[in-house]
Structure formats: C-alpha cells, structure tokens
Amino acid sequence: MVIHSRLVKGQLQKMGPLQPMNIFLRQELDRMQCVISSVRSTLTDLRLAIDGTIIMSEDLRDALNSMFDARILRLWLRLSWPSATLGFWFSELLERNQQLSAWISAGRPNQFWLTGFFNPQGFLTAMRQETTRSNLSRGWALDTVTLSNDVTKMMREDVSAPPPEDVGGVFIYGLFLDGAGWDRRGAKLAEAPPKVLFTPLPVVHVFAVSSANMADSKRPPGGGGRSACTRVPSTRSLYAPTRTSSSPCS
C-alpha cells in the first residue's frame, strides 16, 4: 500500500506537522515510499525484460538470480534493512508499512513495534523531545531529560490504551532477551528454557524523566521490573547525523 503524498500532508497538518513524533513519522514514511517505489520499479522492469520488451540488463539479471536464490536484492537492501531471506524481508515490508499506514490514517497507536522502524533511536529521541516540551512549565530542559523504562506484565495483545498521561512515554514491543528468560509473574530475569536463545520481552514502557529533578519521575502503576538486558535485532540507522543528502532515497 502506497500512501499518497497529499494524504500524508493533510493528515500531518491535522496531527501537528511540527510535533517531534510527527516529524519522525514523516521521515519514516518517506523512507518507506522509497523502498516501495524501488520494489515496484524493479518488478515492473523484470516483467518487461522477461517478455522481451526491454533489454535484460546486468542489474535485472542480478535481481532475477537473487530472487531465484531467495536472497534480498542489493538495491532493496541498500534502501532498507537486513533479513535472513527474501521471504522474511517481504513479510517485514508488509508489517512495517502496515504500522506506518495505521499511524498516519488512524492516529497514534497505543503501542509501537520499535524494531519495525528504520531509525528506532530517532523514535526514542522524538519521544524525549515531546515529553520535554510538555513539561517546560516544570522547568524541564532537553539536556537534563533522560530515558527510563519498565518492563510491564502485558503482552502485545493485552494493550488497550496508551500509557497514563501523568507519566507519559510510549509502549513498545519487539524486544528480545539474549541468553536469558523472563519471569512474567515475578517481573525479573530467569534462566532461559533449554535450546531457546532469544526470549521475547513483554511490552516495555519507555518514558522520559528529568535528571535535574528525579523526584519528578514516577513509576507507572502496575508496571513490572526494570529491563536489565534487552536485545534489539540489528537495524541500520538511515538517518545518521552525518548524512548530507536531502533525499531519503539516496
């Protein structure tokens, strides 16, 4: 599903185009549109080349060989994320696009698939900026605001509302423990089950606190334990500060 640029602009205007989280959303949508456009262009050219309408170039031949071997095409990989096989990569493409489409169409979700973003660190930074702005009257400054988190006892399907307004932050999922298990009842680390390398964490509540006044930080009710060791699958940041190109597709 490709979201029309006019729809994106109109929805962002309603949501507040200068809000940090909405700026982040626009960047993610721009990058996703680049990936979808590249996939469409490659598949269209491949079909024409197979039919004999256009010449089968070296790039198209390499793309065809990659598909035959279930490998991710180099052009697609350059614009997107690593994955084990082409099938897994395409499934992630659909799921990532679904998350962004739902966000821009229906508003901010109650929880976020953190590892489904191109730039998960940028998402957390935007949340920190947003919390700082909402607490300016309390003397919060961005330089003194840090991230904190609690591992809740909820799984993804249990979340029915966003975090309480007095605490703020976001609910995220998609994190795993490497070489350890998680005791949901006791909200603590446990021994990993036999032959299980990665254990999915429950939903994590990430929120911002002012380090200049730690008394302002509140532990959310019903929360579990603090996360001690989380593993985020490898995700390349495509919005590194050193990027100089204005185009998200370059």
Side-chain angles (χ1 to χ4, degrees):
M1 174 183 177
V2 179
I3 306 175
H4 198 280
S5 59
R6 291 183 180 179
L7 174 61
V8 171
K9 185 176 180 179
Q11 288 295 101
L12 286 176
Q13 286 294 333
K14 296 178 183 178
M15 297 165 64
L18 299 182
Q19 294 296 323
M21 292 285 278
N22 295 336
I23 292 175
F24 168 81
L25 173 59
R26 178 57 188 265
Q27 292 175 335
E28 292 287 309
L29 286 168
D30 287 343
R31 178 61 64 179
M32 180 58 69
Q33 296 289 57
C34 291
V35 176
I36 294 175
S37 297
S38 178
V39 171
R40 179 192 293 110
S41 175
T42 301
L43 295 180
T44 299
D45 289 346
L46 264 178
R47 183 175 61 180
L48 294 175
I50 292 173
D51 291 342
T53 305
I54 63 175
I55 297 175
M56 179 71 75
S57 65
E58 188 65 31
D59 289 339
L60 291 178
R61 188 177 296 108
D62 177 71
L64 190 61
N65 291 335
S66 296
M67 289 182 181
F68 182 81
D69 295 333
R71 292 183 288 108
I72 306 170
L73 281 63
R74 285 183 296 180
L75 175 59
W76 299 356
L77 185 59
R78 182 175 64 84
L79 295 173
S80 59
W81 52 88
S83 191
T85 66
L86 181 59
F88 286 136
W89 182 91
F90 194 77
S91 295
E92 291 179 25
L93 172 64
L94 298 178
E95 293 172 359
R96 287 167 178 254
N97 185 60
Q98 175 60 31
Q99 174 170 238
L100 297 177
S101 299
W103 187 353
I104 192 65
S105 301
R108 183 178 299 190
N110 295 329
Q111 57 183 327
F112 298 88
W113 178 29
L114 183 64
T115 51
F117 292 131
F118 290 96
N119 184 12
Q121 184 61 46
F123 171 78
L124 297 177
T125 299
M127 185 275 291
R128 187 166 64 94
Q129 292 172 338
E130 190 173 77
T131 303
T132 302
R133 289 187 182 184
S134 64
N135 287 277
L136 287 178
S137 60
R138 299 168 61 184
W140 286 31
L142 187 61
D143 292 342
T144 62
V145 173
T146 59
L147 293 178
S148 186
N149 65 85
D150 278 289
V151 181
T152 72
K153 295 184 178 180
M154 299 182 294
M155 299 306 290
R156 176 185 176 186
E157 57 274 11
D158 301 325
V159 177
S160 58
E165 293 185 3
D166 60 332
V167 181
V170 292
F171 287 137
I172 61 172
Y173 64 93
L175 302 182
F176 293 79
L177 289 171
D178 186 355
W182 184 258
D183 179 1
R184 288 185 60 191
R185 178 174 297 180
K188 60 183 180 180
L189 290 173
E191 290 291 335
K195 300 181 180 180
V196 175
L197 295 180
F198 305 119
T199 302
L201 271 178
V203 170
V204 179
H205 179 200
V206 181
F207 53 99
V209 296
S210 175
S211 59
N213 185 10
M214 292 304 294
D216 288 341
S217 66
K218 299 180 180 180
R219 189 181 185 86
R226 299 278 175 166
S227 62
C229 178
T230 59
R231 177 182 186 272
V232 180
S234 175
T235 304
R236 294 181 301 170
S237 173
L238 298 181
Y239 289 98
T242 54
R243 289 181 63 86
T244 57
S245 173
S246 59
S247 172
C249 300
S250 60

